[in-house]
Amino acid sequence: MIILFGPAGSGKSTQGRTLADLYGWRWLSVGQVLRDSGEFDDIMKEGALVDDATVVRLMDKQIEFAEAEGMEIVLDGYPRDKEQTEIMLKAGSSFFDKVDGAVVLSVPVDELWQRIELRGRADDTREALEKRINIFEQNIGAILDLLRSREIPVYEVDGVGEFDEVTERIRKVFEEIKPNTPEVFHTDQLGSIENDANSREKSYGE
């Protein structure tokens, strides 16, 4: 299981979905799971966060479903904050024993705003996105420290550039974390995967 982190507009959802398709893995996004439930639309449009206990419960179920199907997993921005990690640790979760590595997409703030303006999602208000970016910056350090304390490798990847350039950077890291993982699609098919992933991100991605 590999975790992909990045602030709103970093492209982590599109890239995560693309890499999952490339390797035939399951892509799991907190945003996707919450939106699919149909219970939290008002909260998310305000830029607020669903409580951590609920997020952990819903994501645990989805991870269990994927594992029951024998699927490897790309986790999109989960765990979100220190509180979620503490909930899992207190519950005796084996989650962190299953994580092979984490990738953090690095994108300057100015670039994030340019991408967000083009994305055109209903909950992409400036106020909501400012909240998301601030929350990410406040929490990512503690999450990465916890992962490193458990000797889980963390890689920072430059998220600026053409889509396939960024994909290739992440792919090289994935292959370092999980050597000899066979591709279901060839890399020259990534364009069609990108189009599908972009359409999904308009509904699901963070």
Side-chain angles (χ1 to χ4, degrees), residues 145-162:
D145 285 347
L146 188 148
L147 294 176
R148 292 187 180 106
S149 73
R150 290 176 167 262
E151 300 185 350
I152 296 170
V154 176
Y155 300 80
E156 183 171 324
V157 172
D158 182 3
V160 178
E162 295 296 324

Side-chain angles (χ1 to χ4, degrees), residues 164-202:
D164 55 354
E165 293 174 342
V166 179
T167 302
E168 181 63 17
R169 293 171 199 152
I170 301 172
R171 189 179 68 83
K172 288 179 179 178
V173 173
F174 271 41
E175 292 184 350
E176 184 173 342
I177 296 172
K178 299 281 286 187
N180 304 315
T181 301
E183 294 181 0
V184 175
F185 292 90
H186 296 295
T187 51
D188 59 6
Q189 295 175 291
L190 284 178
S192 61
I193 300 176
E194 175 194 1
N195 291 335
D196 175 62
N198 273 314
S199 68
R200 289 171 183 267
E201 183 170 4
K202 288 179 182 178

Side-chain angles (χ1 to χ4, degrees), residues 106-126:
S106 178
V107 181
V109 173
D110 288 346
E111 175 76 11
L112 294 175
W113 286 119
Q114 291 177 20
R115 295 182 185 186
I116 286 163
E117 288 177 352
L118 293 173
R119 195 165 69 173
R121 221 174 56 194
D123 54 348
D124 278 345
T125 65
R126 187 177 183 88

Side-chain angles (χ1 to χ4, degrees), residues 27-201:
W27 172 69
L28 287 179
S29 157
V30 172
Q32 169 209 346
V33 171
L34 295 177
R35 288 184 178 88
D36 282 353
S37 74
E39 299 177 24
F40 309 102
D41 292 349
D42 290 343
I43 294 175
M44 298 177 74
K45 284 179 181 177
E46 294 173 359
L49 297 176
V50 177
D51 70 275
D52 291 310
T54 298
V55 170
V56 171
R57 175 175 55 81
L58 293 173
M59 291 299 289
D60 278 352
K61 287 183 179 179
Q62 293 302 317
I63 291 170
E64 288 175 7
F65 291 153
E67 290 176 336
E69 295 173 356
M71 300 285 289
E72 288 278 7
I73 299 169
V74 178
L75 275 178
D76 183 342
Y78 178 80
R80 177 182 63 201
D81 52 37
K82 187 177 180 181
E83 286 71 20
Q84 288 181 1
T85 63
E86 290 176 345
I87 289 170
M88 289 186 279
L89 291 171
K90 288 178 181 177
S93 171
S94 60
F95 173 86
F96 295 101
D97 296 328
K98 302 173 184 177
V99 178
D100 299 294
V103 177
V104 184
L105 278 179
S106 178
V107 181
V109 173
D110 288 346
E111 175 76 11
L112 294 175
W113 286 119
Q114 291 177 20
R115 295 182 185 186
I116 286 163
E117 288 177 352
L118 293 173
R119 195 165 69 173
R121 221 174 56 194
D123 54 348
D124 278 345
T125 65
R126 187 177 183 88
E127 182 180 1
L129 287 163
E130 284 178 346
K131 287 182 181 179
R132 290 193 191 122
I133 291 172
N134 288 335
I135 289 168
F136 175 80
E137 291 176 347
Q138 291 166 9
N139 285 286
I140 188 64
I143 296 170
L144 296 183
D145 285 347
L146 188 148
L147 294 176
R148 292 187 180 106
S149 73
R150 290 176 167 262
E151 300 185 350
I152 296 170
V154 176
Y155 300 80
E156 183 171 324
V157 172
D158 182 3
V160 178
E162 295 296 324
F163 175 85
D164 55 354
E165 293 174 342
V166 179
T167 302
E168 181 63 17
R169 293 171 199 152
I170 301 172
R171 189 179 68 83
K172 288 179 179 178
V173 173
F174 271 41
E175 292 184 350
E176 184 173 342
I177 296 172
K178 299 281 286 187
N180 304 315
T181 301
E183 294 181 0
V184 175
F185 292 90
H186 296 295
T187 51
D188 59 6
Q189 295 175 291
L190 284 178
S192 61
I193 300 176
E194 175 194 1
N195 291 335
D196 175 62
N198 273 314
S199 68
R200 289 171 183 267
E201 183 170 4

